[in-house]
Each structure stands twice: as structure tokens, then as C-alpha cells.
Amino acid sequence: MTEPNPSVELSTNGVGPWQGEMPTDPHFDPALLERGDSRNVIDRYRYWTMEAIVADLDVTRHPFHVAIENWQHDMNIGSIVRSANAFGADTVHIIGRRRWNKRGAMVTDRYQHVLHHPDVAAFVEWTAANDLPIIAIDNVPGSVIIETFDMPQRCVLLFGQEGPGLSPEAIEAAADVVEISQFGSTRSINASAAAAVAMHNWITQHVRFST
């Protein structure tokens, strides 16, 4: 009797070499089957090639995008990319500096579509060409409370940097400006935390779960 394959829940380092007869399906990576798979992927994608995972995700990605301004090399971008992958965002857009710290992404950027725009004007031109309204997330005067806001199904959630928030050009380009309700003494929450909250808000409005 063949022993079951090791489960990711048994080890934080993934799974060991494939046990039993080797599968021949093309989405499997022969090298991973032989040596094991320690990547940060869900069980469904164990032993799959990176290309196969991306192709499979492309079938189920949600129609919302995520954009981040990157004028000061914000350290939160990696975490935002990771959350975008977790929530199935279509694409992540980096506005400003092309380089960003990928450590927080935990290599999820390999499975997530990422586009660069040199400035806000170029980003706005892209969104207009693709008929995607910009929903800015920032606690500025005139913003709408996110808990009362109807998120468009197709949109771009735009986030600013830690500290300065969104640039005036980005606020001006937004179809709506939305803020996350807070109840403590701090003026703002961490940028990556705000991004995760906003993405999950979109999920709760547009994804139907079976009971």
C-alpha cells in the first residue's frame, strides 16, 4: 500500500519528494516531484510548474486591480502584492519607481501580474483605455466610509505610501475616494493593512460563497 503524500500542514517547509508512481501530467514539475516542494503555495499547486500555476490562476482572477504609488521606495509594496495574490487580484500596478522591495511579497510576485507606470498620468491613461474606474483609498476630506461604499466590480484600488498617503494627482484622478473606519487614536493604519482590508471589502461584496 502506497503511503499518502506528505501534507503541507505537517511541515512549514512544504512537502517532500512525491511518493508512489510519478505522475506524467504536463502541469507537474519533474524536479519538484523528485526533490519535494517547499514553496509557499496552497496544496492544490504542490509540485506544479510556476507557468502552470499562473495559467490556472488566470482563469479565476477577480476583475479588480490594485495600484500603489512608489515615490519613496515604500517597504509595504511587497506585502500588498502578497495580499493581492491571496485575494485573486487581476494585476498589481506600480506607479513611480520601477524598483520595489520584494521581500514582503514572499515570491508571490512570480504568480501575480505586475505592471509598471512611470507616473500617475501614464497610469490614468492605462485605466481609461481599459475602462477601469480608480477607487482611491485614503482618509482625506470628502472621502466616503468604505463600509457604506458600493465597490464597482471592475475597478482599480489605488493606495498611497506610508505616511504621505496618495499624491494630489492620484486623488484628482480617482472616481471615488474611500477611507477605512478607525476607532483609535492613530491617524492612519499601515498601508499594507489598509490594502488588505480594502481588497477583502471587495471580496465580501462580489464573491458568493456556498453554505
Side-chain angles (χ1 to χ4, degrees), residues 19-51:
Q19 302 296 308
E21 184 177 352
M22 288 287 186
T24 57
D25 292 2
H27 61 263
F28 285 115
D29 185 324
L32 293 176
L33 291 170
E34 181 177 348
R35 69 170 184 263
D37 188 353
S38 62
R39 300 173 301 174
N40 179 26
V41 297
I42 60 175
D43 288 349
R44 167 177 167 77
Y45 294 136
R46 286 296 174 195
Y47 306 108
W48 284 34
T49 66
M50 182 178 67
E51 294 77 14

PDB file of all heavy atoms in Angstrom, residues 19-51:
ATOM      1  N   GLN A  19       5.596  10.516  -3.420  1.00  0.00           N
ATOM      2  CA  GLN A  19       5.583   9.114  -3.018  1.00  0.00           C
ATOM      3  C   GLN A  19       4.721   8.302  -3.976  1.00  0.00           C
ATOM      4  O   GLN A  19       3.609   8.692  -4.296  1.00  0.00           O
ATOM      5  CB  GLN A  19       5.022   8.988  -1.589  1.00  0.00           C
ATOM      6  CG  GLN A  19       5.785   9.791  -0.548  1.00  0.00           C
ATOM      7  CD  GLN A  19       7.211   9.307  -0.380  1.00  0.00           C
ATOM      8  OE1 GLN A  19       7.463   8.126  -0.172  1.00  0.00           O
ATOM      9  NE2 GLN A  19       8.151  10.235  -0.478  1.00  0.00           N
ATOM     10  N   GLY A  20       5.221   7.174  -4.434  1.00  0.00           N
ATOM     11  CA  GLY A  20       4.471   6.336  -5.355  1.00  0.00           C
ATOM     12  C   GLY A  20       4.844   6.595  -6.797  1.00  0.00           C
ATOM     13  O   GLY A  20       5.880   7.195  -7.108  1.00  0.00           O
ATOM     14  N   GLU A  21       3.985   6.149  -7.692  1.00  0.00           N
ATOM     15  CA  GLU A  21       4.248   6.278  -9.131  1.00  0.00           C
ATOM     16  C   GLU A  21       4.229   7.751  -9.539  1.00  0.00           C
ATOM     17  O   GLU A  21       3.327   8.502  -9.186  1.00  0.00           O
ATOM     18  CB  GLU A  21       3.195   5.507  -9.926  1.00  0.00           C
ATOM     19  CG  GLU A  21       3.439   5.495 -11.420  1.00  0.00           C
ATOM     20  CD  GLU A  21       2.425   4.653 -12.168  1.00  0.00           C
ATOM     21  OE1 GLU A  21       1.622   3.967 -11.504  1.00  0.00           O
ATOM     22  OE2 GLU A  21       2.436   4.685 -13.417  1.00  0.00           O
ATOM     23  N   MET A  22       5.232   8.162 -10.286  1.00  0.00           N
ATOM     24  CA  MET A  22       5.342   9.553 -10.698  1.00  0.00           C
ATOM     25  C   MET A  22       4.231   9.932 -11.689  1.00  0.00           C
ATOM     26  O   MET A  22       4.010   9.220 -12.670  1.00  0.00           O
ATOM     27  CB  MET A  22       6.696   9.818 -11.363  1.00  0.00           C
ATOM     28  CG  MET A  22       7.869   9.831 -10.393  1.00  0.00           C
ATOM     29  SD  MET A  22       7.854  11.329  -9.389  1.00  0.00           S
ATOM     30  CE  MET A  22       9.421  11.149  -8.513  1.00  0.00           C
ATOM     31  N   PRO A  23       3.523  11.039 -11.447  1.00  0.00           N
ATOM     32  CA  PRO A  23       2.507  11.490 -12.409  1.00  0.00           C
ATOM     33  C   PRO A  23       3.170  12.040 -13.667  1.00  0.00           C
ATOM     34  O   PRO A  23       4.314  12.503 -13.631  1.00  0.00           O
ATOM     35  CB  PRO A  23       1.768  12.587 -11.642  1.00  0.00           C
ATOM     36  CG  PRO A  23       2.763  13.094 -10.663  1.00  0.00           C
ATOM     37  CD  PRO A  23       3.608  11.909 -10.267  1.00  0.00           C
ATOM     38  N   THR A  24       2.455  11.992 -14.755  1.00  0.00           N
ATOM     39  CA  THR A  24       3.006  12.457 -16.041  1.00  0.00           C
ATOM     40  C   THR A  24       2.263  13.669 -16.596  1.00  0.00           C
ATOM     41  O   THR A  24       2.580  14.136 -17.684  1.00  0.00           O
ATOM     42  CB  THR A  24       2.953  11.320 -17.078  1.00  0.00           C
ATOM     43  OG1 THR A  24       1.594  10.866 -17.222  1.00  0.00           O
ATOM     44  CG2 THR A  24       3.835  10.142 -16.637  1.00  0.00           C
ATOM     45  N   ASP A  25       1.288  14.179 -15.847  1.00  0.00           N
ATOM     46  CA  ASP A  25       0.552  15.343 -16.323  1.00  0.00           C
ATOM     47  C   ASP A  25       1.515  16.501 -16.564  1.00  0.00           C
ATOM     48  O   ASP A  25       2.432  16.731 -15.759  1.00  0.00           O
ATOM     49  CB  ASP A  25      -0.502  15.772 -15.310  1.00  0.00           C
ATOM     50  CG  ASP A  25      -1.630  14.757 -15.171  1.00  0.00           C
ATOM     51  OD1 ASP A  25      -1.552  13.709 -15.837  1.00  0.00           O
ATOM     52  OD2 ASP A  25      -2.571  15.014 -14.399  1.00  0.00           O
ATOM     53  N   PRO A  26       1.322  17.259 -17.645  1.00  0.00           N
ATOM     54  CA  PRO A  26       2.291  18.305 -18.004  1.00  0.00           C
ATOM     55  C   PRO A  26       2.390  19.453 -17.008  1.00  0.00           C
ATOM     56  O   PRO A  26       3.380  20.189 -17.026  1.00  0.00           O
ATOM     57  CB  PRO A  26       1.775  18.803 -19.364  1.00  0.00           C
ATOM     58  CG  PRO A  26       0.329  18.428 -19.397  1.00  0.00           C
ATOM     59  CD  PRO A  26       0.247  17.140 -18.650  1.00  0.00           C
ATOM     60  N   HIS A  27       1.394  19.627 -16.122  1.00  0.00           N
ATOM     61  CA  HIS A  27       1.486  20.752 -15.178  1.00  0.00           C
ATOM     62  C   HIS A  27       2.423  20.448 -14.015  1.00  0.00           C
ATOM     63  O   HIS A  27       2.756  21.341 -13.246  1.00  0.00           O
ATOM     64  CB  HIS A  27       0.107  21.162 -14.658  1.00  0.00           C
ATOM     65  CG  HIS A  27      -0.624  20.103 -13.902  1.00  0.00           C
ATOM     66  ND1 HIS A  27      -1.563  19.299 -14.490  1.00  0.00           N
ATOM     67  CD2 HIS A  27      -0.558  19.721 -12.611  1.00  0.00           C
ATOM     68  CE1 HIS A  27      -2.049  18.462 -13.594  1.00  0.00           C
ATOM     69  NE2 HIS A  27      -1.454  18.695 -12.436  1.00  0.00           N
ATOM     70  N   PHE A  28       2.863  19.199 -13.897  1.00  0.00           N
ATOM     71  CA  PHE A  28       3.797  18.858 -12.826  1.00  0.00           C
ATOM     72  C   PHE A  28       5.238  19.166 -13.237  1.00  0.00           C
ATOM     73  O   PHE A  28       5.615  19.021 -14.407  1.00  0.00           O
ATOM     74  CB  PHE A  28       3.687  17.379 -12.462  1.00  0.00           C
ATOM     75  CG  PHE A  28       2.457  17.039 -11.652  1.00  0.00           C
ATOM     76  CD1 PHE A  28       1.476  16.213 -12.169  1.00  0.00           C
ATOM     77  CD2 PHE A  28       2.296  17.550 -10.374  1.00  0.00           C
ATOM     78  CE1 PHE A  28       0.353  15.895 -11.421  1.00  0.00           C
ATOM     79  CE2 PHE A  28       1.172  17.236  -9.616  1.00  0.00           C
ATOM     80  CZ  PHE A  28       0.191  16.408 -10.141  1.00  0.00           C
ATOM     81  N   ASP A  29       6.032  19.575 -12.257  1.00  0.00           N
ATOM     82  CA  ASP A  29       7.448  19.874 -12.464  1.00  0.00           C
ATOM     83  C   ASP A  29       8.263  18.654 -12.042  1.00  0.00           C
ATOM     84  O   ASP A  29       8.279  18.289 -10.862  1.00  0.00           O
ATOM     85  CB  ASP A  29       7.847  21.080 -11.619  1.00  0.00           C
ATOM     86  CG  ASP A  29       9.270  21.544 -11.868  1.00  0.00           C
ATOM     87  OD1 ASP A  29      10.145  20.690 -12.102  1.00  0.00           O
ATOM     88  OD2 ASP A  29       9.513  22.767 -11.801  1.00  0.00           O
ATOM     89  N   PRO A  30       8.937  17.982 -12.984  1.00  0.00           N
ATOM     90  CA  PRO A  30       9.687  16.769 -12.651  1.00  0.00           C
ATOM     91  C   PRO A  30      10.708  16.973 -11.534  1.00  0.00           C
ATOM     92  O   PRO A  30      10.898  16.093 -10.693  1.00  0.00           O
ATOM     93  CB  PRO A  30      10.377  16.409 -13.970  1.00  0.00           C
ATOM     94  CG  PRO A  30       9.508  17.009 -15.029  1.00  0.00           C
ATOM     95  CD  PRO A  30       8.993  18.275 -14.433  1.00  0.00           C
ATOM     96  N   ALA A  31      11.355  18.132 -11.514  1.00  0.00           N
ATOM     97  CA  ALA A  31      12.356  18.396 -10.485  1.00  0.00           C
ATOM     98  C   ALA A  31      11.718  18.482  -9.098  1.00  0.00           C
ATOM     99  O   ALA A  31      12.262  17.974  -8.117  1.00  0.00           O
ATOM    100  CB  ALA A  31      13.105  19.690 -10.798  1.00  0.00           C
ATOM    101  N   LEU A  32      10.542  19.125  -9.017  1.00  0.00           N
ATOM    102  CA  LEU A  32       9.850  19.223  -7.731  1.00  0.00           C
ATOM    103  C   LEU A  32       9.335  17.871  -7.274  1.00  0.00           C
ATOM    104  O   LEU A  32       9.365  17.549  -6.076  1.00  0.00           O
ATOM    105  CB  LEU A  32       8.695  20.221  -7.829  1.00  0.00           C
ATOM    106  CG  LEU A  32       9.072  21.695  -8.050  1.00  0.00           C
ATOM    107  CD1 LEU A  32       7.818  22.540  -8.231  1.00  0.00           C
ATOM    108  CD2 LEU A  32       9.904  22.215  -6.882  1.00  0.00           C
ATOM    109  N   LEU A  33       8.864  17.071  -8.209  1.00  0.00           N
ATOM    110  CA  LEU A  33       8.405  15.729  -7.853  1.00  0.00           C
ATOM    111  C   LEU A  33       9.541  14.905  -7.252  1.00  0.00           C
ATOM    112  O   LEU A  33       9.338  14.130  -6.309  1.00  0.00           O
ATOM    113  CB  LEU A  33       7.853  15.013  -9.094  1.00  0.00           C
ATOM    114  CG  LEU A  33       6.542  15.553  -9.683  1.00  0.00           C
ATOM    115  CD1 LEU A  33       6.267  14.918 -11.031  1.00  0.00           C
ATOM    116  CD2 LEU A  33       5.373  15.283  -8.729  1.00  0.00           C
ATOM    117  N   GLU A  34      10.711  15.121  -7.773  1.00  0.00           N
ATOM    118  CA  GLU A  34      11.856  14.326  -7.337  1.00  0.00           C
ATOM    119  C   GLU A  34      12.419  14.784  -5.993  1.00  0.00           C
ATOM    120  O   GLU A  34      12.750  13.959  -5.139  1.00  0.00           O
ATOM    121  CB  GLU A  34      12.952  14.387  -8.402  1.00  0.00           C
ATOM    122  CG  GLU A  34      14.178  13.559  -8.058  1.00  0.00           C
ATOM    123  CD  GLU A  34      15.219  13.577  -9.156  1.00  0.00           C
ATOM    124  OE1 GLU A  34      14.905  14.046 -10.271  1.00  0.00           O
ATOM    125  OE2 GLU A  34      16.348  13.122  -8.906  1.00  0.00           O
ATOM    126  N   ARG A  35      12.500  16.108  -5.798  1.00  0.00           N
ATOM    127  CA  ARG A  35      13.176  16.599  -4.592  1.00  0.00           C
ATOM    128  C   ARG A  35      12.237  17.164  -3.527  1.00  0.00           C
ATOM    129  O   ARG A  35      12.642  17.434  -2.394  1.00  0.00           O
ATOM    130  CB  ARG A  35      14.195  17.669  -4.962  1.00  0.00           C
ATOM    131  CG  ARG A  35      13.597  18.989  -5.450  1.00  0.00           C
ATOM    132  CD  ARG A  35      14.653  20.063  -5.559  1.00  0.00           C
ATOM    133  NE  ARG A  35      14.107  21.346  -5.930  1.00  0.00           N
ATOM    134  CZ  ARG A  35      14.067  21.837  -7.167  1.00  0.00           C
ATOM    135  NH1 ARG A  35      14.578  21.109  -8.154  1.00  0.00           N
ATOM    136  NH2 ARG A  35      13.549  23.019  -7.417  1.00  0.00           N
ATOM    137  N   GLY A  36      10.946  17.365  -3.868  1.00  0.00           N
ATOM    138  CA  GLY A  36       9.997  17.954  -2.940  1.00  0.00           C
ATOM    139  C   GLY A  36       9.694  19.404  -3.287  1.00  0.00           C
ATOM    140  O   GLY A  36      10.378  20.014  -4.108  1.00  0.00           O
ATOM    141  N   ASP A  37       8.668  19.957  -2.654  1.00  0.00           N
ATOM    142  CA  ASP A  37       8.198  21.303  -2.977  1.00  0.00           C
ATOM    143  C   ASP A  37       8.076  22.114  -1.688  1.00  0.00           C
ATOM    144  O   ASP A  37       7.183  21.878  -0.871  1.00  0.00           O
ATOM    145  CB  ASP A  37       6.848  21.216  -3.685  1.00  0.00           C
ATOM    146  CG  ASP A  37       6.375  22.562  -4.223  1.00  0.00           C
ATOM    147  OD1 ASP A  37       7.028  23.580  -3.928  1.00  0.00           O
ATOM    148  OD2 ASP A  37       5.351  22.584  -4.937  1.00  0.00           O
ATOM    149  N   SER A  38       8.977  23.052  -1.482  1.00  0.00           N
ATOM    150  CA  SER A  38       8.976  23.874  -0.269  1.00  0.00           C
ATOM    151  C   SER A  38       8.425  25.271  -0.519  1.00  0.00           C
ATOM    152  O   SER A  38       8.559  26.159   0.320  1.00  0.00           O
ATOM    153  CB  SER A  38      10.394  23.976   0.304  1.00  0.00           C
ATOM    154  OG  SER A  38      11.254  24.615  -0.630  1.00  0.00           O
ATOM    155  N   ARG A  39       7.803  25.489  -1.659  1.00  0.00           N
ATOM    156  CA  ARG A  39       7.289  26.824  -1.981  1.00  0.00           C
ATOM    157  C   ARG A  39       6.064  27.179  -1.140  1.00  0.00           C
ATOM    158  O   ARG A  39       5.371  26.304  -0.620  1.00  0.00           O
ATOM    159  CB  ARG A  39       6.919  26.891  -3.469  1.00  0.00           C
ATOM    160  CG  ARG A  39       8.080  26.633  -4.420  1.00  0.00           C
ATOM    161  CD  ARG A  39       7.582  26.555  -5.864  1.00  0.00           C
ATOM    162  NE  ARG A  39       6.599  25.478  -6.014  1.00  0.00           N
ATOM    163  CZ  ARG A  39       5.913  25.250  -7.138  1.00  0.00           C
ATOM    164  NH1 ARG A  39       6.102  26.046  -8.186  1.00  0.00           N
ATOM    165  NH2 ARG A  39       5.052  24.259  -7.210  1.00  0.00           N
ATOM    166  N   ASN A  40       5.798  28.487  -1.048  1.00  0.00           N
ATOM    167  CA  ASN A  40       4.636  28.980  -0.312  1.00  0.00           C
ATOM    168  C   ASN A  40       3.415  28.976  -1.228  1.00  0.00           C
ATOM    169  O   ASN A  40       2.944  30.023  -1.687  1.00  0.00           O
ATOM    170  CB  ASN A  40       4.918  30.396   0.215  1.00  0.00           C
ATOM    171  CG  ASN A  40       3.737  30.974   0.981  1.00  0.00           C
ATOM    172  OD1 ASN A  40       2.940  30.240   1.536  1.00  0.00           O
ATOM    173  ND2 ASN A  40       3.641  32.296   0.997  1.00  0.00           N
ATOM    174  N   VAL A  41       2.910  27.765  -1.526  1.00  0.00           N
ATOM    175  CA  VAL A  41       1.722  27.622  -2.369  1.00  0.00           C
ATOM    176  C   VAL A  41       0.713  26.726  -1.664  1.00  0.00           C
ATOM    177  O   VAL A  41       1.072  25.917  -0.800  1.00  0.00           O
ATOM    178  CB  VAL A  41       2.069  27.031  -3.757  1.00  0.00           C
ATOM    179  CG1 VAL A  41       2.987  27.959  -4.537  1.00  0.00           C
ATOM    180  CG2 VAL A  41       2.697  25.640  -3.632  1.00  0.00           C
ATOM    181  N   ILE A  42      -0.558  26.852  -2.047  1.00  0.00           N
ATOM    182  CA  ILE A  42      -1.592  26.006  -1.468  1.00  0.00           C
ATOM    183  C   ILE A  42      -1.412  24.570  -1.956  1.00  0.00           C
ATOM    184  O   ILE A  42      -0.722  24.305  -2.948  1.00  0.00           O
ATOM    185  CB  ILE A  42      -3.002  26.517  -1.828  1.00  0.00           C
ATOM    186  CG1 ILE A  42      -3.209  26.525  -3.353  1.00  0.00           C
ATOM    187  CG2 ILE A  42      -3.215  27.918  -1.248  1.00  0.00           C
ATOM    188  CD1 ILE A  42      -4.626  26.904  -3.769  1.00  0.00           C
ATOM    189  N   ASP A  43      -2.036  23.621  -1.264  1.00  0.00           N
ATOM    190  CA  ASP A  43      -1.861  22.206  -1.587  1.00  0.00           C
ATOM    191  C   ASP A  43      -2.204  21.886  -3.042  1.00  0.00           C
ATOM    192  O   ASP A  43      -1.569  21.023  -3.655  1.00  0.00           O
ATOM    193  CB  ASP A  43      -2.728  21.351  -0.664  1.00  0.00           C
ATOM    194  CG  ASP A  43      -2.180  21.308   0.760  1.00  0.00           C
ATOM    195  OD1 ASP A  43      -1.043  21.768   0.968  1.00  0.00           O
ATOM    196  OD2 ASP A  43      -2.898  20.822   1.655  1.00  0.00           O
ATOM    197  N   ARG A  44      -3.210  22.563  -3.579  1.00  0.00           N
ATOM    198  CA  ARG A  44      -3.637  22.291  -4.962  1.00  0.00           C
ATOM    199  C   ARG A  44      -2.477  22.443  -5.947  1.00  0.00           C
ATOM    200  O   ARG A  44      -2.418  21.730  -6.949  1.00  0.00           O
ATOM    201  CB  ARG A  44      -4.775  23.243  -5.331  1.00  0.00           C
ATOM    202  CG  ARG A  44      -5.120  23.298  -6.814  1.00  0.00           C
ATOM    203  CD  ARG A  44      -6.308  24.210  -7.061  1.00  0.00           C
ATOM    204  NE  ARG A  44      -6.474  24.516  -8.464  1.00  0.00           N
ATOM    205  CZ  ARG A  44      -6.995  23.692  -9.359  1.00  0.00           C
ATOM    206  NH1 ARG A  44      -7.378  22.478  -8.991  1.00  0.00           N
ATOM    207  NH2 ARG A  44      -7.126  24.070 -10.619  1.00  0.00           N
ATOM    208  N   TYR A  45      -1.568  23.363  -5.656  1.00  0.00           N
ATOM    209  CA  TYR A  45      -0.483  23.649  -6.592  1.00  0.00           C
ATOM    210  C   TYR A  45       0.840  22.976  -6.229  1.00  0.00           C
ATOM    211  O   TYR A  45       1.875  23.293  -6.831  1.00  0.00           O
ATOM    212  CB  TYR A  45      -0.273  25.164  -6.695  1.00  0.00           C
ATOM    213  CG  TYR A  45      -1.444  25.888  -7.310  1.00  0.00           C
ATOM    214  CD1 TYR A  45      -1.932  27.081  -6.758  1.00  0.00           C
ATOM    215  CD2 TYR A  45      -2.076  25.401  -8.454  1.00  0.00           C
ATOM    216  CE1 TYR A  45      -2.999  27.755  -7.329  1.00  0.00           C
ATOM    217  CE2 TYR A  45      -3.155  26.063  -9.027  1.00  0.00           C
ATOM    218  CZ  TYR A  45      -3.612  27.239  -8.461  1.00  0.00           C
ATOM    219  OH  TYR A  45      -4.668  27.911  -9.029  1.00  0.00           O
ATOM    220  N   ARG A  46       0.817  22.058  -5.301  1.00  0.00           N
ATOM    221  CA  ARG A  46       2.049  21.353  -4.962  1.00  0.00           C
ATOM    222  C   ARG A  46       2.581  20.590  -6.175  1.00  0.00           C
ATOM    223  O   ARG A  46       1.816  19.921  -6.879  1.00  0.00           O
ATOM    224  CB  ARG A  46       1.815  20.381  -3.804  1.00  0.00           C
ATOM    225  CG  ARG A  46       1.657  21.052  -2.445  1.00  0.00           C
ATOM    226  CD  ARG A  46       2.931  21.762  -2.050  1.00  0.00           C
ATOM    227  NE  ARG A  46       2.768  22.528  -0.813  1.00  0.00           N
ATOM    228  CZ  ARG A  46       3.614  23.448  -0.412  1.00  0.00           C
ATOM    229  NH1 ARG A  46       4.682  23.748  -1.130  1.00  0.00           N
ATOM    230  NH2 ARG A  46       3.413  24.095   0.714  1.00  0.00           N
ATOM    231  N   TYR A  47       3.859  20.761  -6.421  1.00  0.00           N
ATOM    232  CA  TYR A  47       4.599  20.093  -7.493  1.00  0.00           C
ATOM    233  C   TYR A  47       4.289  20.664  -8.888  1.00  0.00           C
ATOM    234  O   TYR A  47       4.834  20.182  -9.876  1.00  0.00           O
ATOM    235  CB  TYR A  47       4.340  18.580  -7.509  1.00  0.00           C
ATOM    236  CG  TYR A  47       4.601  17.876  -6.196  1.00  0.00           C
ATOM    237  CD1 TYR A  47       3.545  17.402  -5.426  1.00  0.00           C
ATOM    238  CD2 TYR A  47       5.894  17.675  -5.727  1.00  0.00           C
ATOM    239  CE1 TYR A  47       3.774  16.744  -4.212  1.00  0.00           C
ATOM    240  CE2 TYR A  47       6.132  17.023  -4.519  1.00  0.00           C
ATOM    241  CZ  TYR A  47       5.068  16.565  -3.774  1.00  0.00           C
ATOM    242  OH  TYR A  47       5.302  15.916  -2.585  1.00  0.00           O
ATOM    243  N   TRP A  48       3.418  21.679  -8.982  1.00  0.00           N
ATOM    244  CA  TRP A  48       3.117  22.261 -10.286  1.00  0.00           C
ATOM    245  C   TRP A  48       4.261  23.182 -10.715  1.00  0.00           C
ATOM    246  O   TRP A  48       4.952  23.779  -9.894  1.00  0.00           O
ATOM    247  CB  TRP A  48       1.845  23.106 -10.216  1.00  0.00           C
ATOM    248  CG  TRP A  48       0.558  22.339 -10.173  1.00  0.00           C
ATOM    249  CD1 TRP A  48       0.342  21.134  -9.567  1.00  0.00           C
ATOM    250  CD2 TRP A  48      -0.693  22.747 -10.716  1.00  0.00           C
ATOM    251  NE1 TRP A  48      -0.971  20.773  -9.698  1.00  0.00           N
ATOM    252  CE2 TRP A  48      -1.629  21.736 -10.406  1.00  0.00           C
ATOM    253  CE3 TRP A  48      -1.110  23.863 -11.424  1.00  0.00           C
ATOM    254  CZ2 TRP A  48      -2.965  21.820 -10.793  1.00  0.00           C
ATOM    255  CZ3 TRP A  48      -2.439  23.955 -11.806  1.00  0.00           C
ATOM    256  CH2 TRP A  48      -3.360  22.932 -11.504  1.00  0.00           C
ATOM    257  N   THR A  49       4.418  23.356 -12.036  1.00  0.00           N
ATOM    258  CA  THR A  49       5.363  24.345 -12.531  1.00  0.00           C
ATOM    259  C   THR A  49       4.803  25.738 -12.269  1.00  0.00           C
ATOM    260  O   THR A  49       3.583  25.922 -12.128  1.00  0.00           O
ATOM    261  CB  THR A  49       5.603  24.203 -14.036  1.00  0.00           C
ATOM    262  OG1 THR A  49       4.390  24.521 -14.748  1.00  0.00           O
ATOM    263  CG2 THR A  49       6.055  22.782 -14.394  1.00  0.00           C
ATOM    264  N   MET A  50       5.682  26.728 -12.202  1.00  0.00           N
ATOM    265  CA  MET A  50       5.238  28.099 -11.996  1.00  0.00           C
ATOM    266  C   MET A  50       4.320  28.546 -13.137  1.00  0.00           C
ATOM    267  O   MET A  50       3.298  29.201 -12.912  1.00  0.00           O
ATOM    268  CB  MET A  50       6.439  29.029 -11.903  1.00  0.00           C
ATOM    269  CG  MET A  50       6.071  30.481 -11.627  1.00  0.00           C
ATOM    270  SD  MET A  50       7.524  31.553 -11.477  1.00  0.00           S
ATOM    271  CE  MET A  50       8.140  31.483 -13.165  1.00  0.00           C
ATOM    272  N   GLU A  51       4.673  28.175 -14.355  1.00  0.00           N
ATOM    273  CA  GLU A  51       3.871  28.567 -15.520  1.00  0.00           C
ATOM    274  C   GLU A  51       2.465  27.976 -15.446  1.00  0.00           C
ATOM    275  O   GLU A  51       1.477  28.641 -15.795  1.00  0.00           O
ATOM    276  CB  GLU A  51       4.557  28.121 -16.805  1.00  0.00           C
ATOM    277  CG  GLU A  51       5.881  28.816 -17.113  1.00  0.00           C
ATOM    278  CD  GLU A  51       7.036  28.294 -16.275  1.00  0.00           C
ATOM    279  OE1 GLU A  51       6.885  27.216 -15.645  1.00  0.00           O
ATOM    280  OE2 GLU A  51       8.089  28.959 -16.248  1.00  0.00           O
TER     281      GLU A  51
END
